[in-house]
């Protein structure tokens, strides 16, 4: 949420934004932004649900949902790429332990983090951020 506020306030200072089980508020609307957002969530996340993320999609650049890492777009553009990690939950995005109300992961923390890193690497590679 804080990252969205910064992008809203200083859109020219950022080249991309990754959201891990997070979404912007109306006050940090970045739907106007001409860069790419990568939104990742866990399938079994009960703290930040798919419905909550979908309800806030209007505050992000246009949506592109991918279901496989192989579907990642190769062109840079003003859009939000949504990806759900199968079997993932909220707590496994970090190392802070279980959280009350979170869903049960069906993959290990290491598997979730590995998949998160893999899609982020695809994002960096596809968009040649250094150019």
């Amino acid at each position: 949420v804080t990252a969205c506020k910064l992008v809203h306030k200083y859109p020219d200072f950022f080249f991309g934004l990754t959201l891990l089980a997070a979404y912007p508020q109306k006050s940090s609307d970045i739907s106007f932004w001409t860069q790419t957002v990568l939104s990742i969530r866990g399938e079994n996340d009960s703290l930040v649900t798919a419905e909550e993320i979908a309800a806030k999609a209007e505050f992000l650049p246009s949506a592109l949902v991918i279901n496989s890492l192989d579907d990642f777009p190769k062109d840079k553009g003003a859009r939000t790429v949504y990806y759900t990690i199968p079997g993932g939950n909220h707590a496994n995005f970090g190392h802070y332990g279980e959280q009350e109300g979170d869903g049960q992961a069906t993959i290990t923390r290491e598997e979730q983090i590995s998949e998160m890193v893999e899609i982020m690497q695809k994002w960096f590679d596809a968009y040649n951020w250094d150019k």
Side-chain angles (χ1 to χ4, degrees):
V1 174
T2 299
C4 292
K5 288 180 183 179
L6 287 170
V7 170
H8 177 81
K9 189 170 183 175
Y10 305 105
D12 296 333
F13 292 125
F14 299 95
F15 297 103
L17 173 65
T18 301
L19 298 173
L20 303 176
Y23 47 80
Q25 301 299 317
K26 183 177 183 178
S27 62
S28 56
D29 183 337
I30 58 173
S31 60
F32 65 90
W33 198 38
T34 59
Q35 300 298 332
T36 301
V37 177
L38 175 60
S39 177
I40 306 170
R41 67 173 298 275
E43 175 184 32
N44 299 329
D45 187 337
S46 297
L47 299 178
V48 177
T49 66
E51 294 78 19
E52 289 172 307
I53 289 175
K56 303 296 183 171
E58 67 181 298
F59 305 129
L60 292 168
S62 65
L64 173 65
V65 177
I66 62 171
N67 297 309
S68 164
L69 295 178
D70 295 330
D71 295 338
F72 202 87
K74 301 287 188 242
D75 62 312
K76 203 187 262 192
R79 70 171 143 240
T80 303
V81 177
Y82 290 92
Y83 181 69
T84 299
I85 297 176
N89 70 353
H90 194 83
N92 281 350
F93 279 113
H95 285 275
Y96 40 76
E98 292 183 21
Q99 293 189 294
E100 186 176 335
D102 196 4
Q104 185 66 42
T106 57
I107 60 174
T108 66
R109 179 183 325 280
E110 291 75 20
E111 289 169 322
Q112 183 166 332
I113 290 173
S114 177
E115 189 155 349
M116 177 183 66
V117 168
E118 185 176 352
I119 194 164
M120 290 175 77
Q121 187 63 56
K122 282 185 176 281
W123 187 53
F124 288 124
D125 291 347
Y127 298 153
N128 296 312
W129 293 104
D130 59 335
K131 296 180 183 175

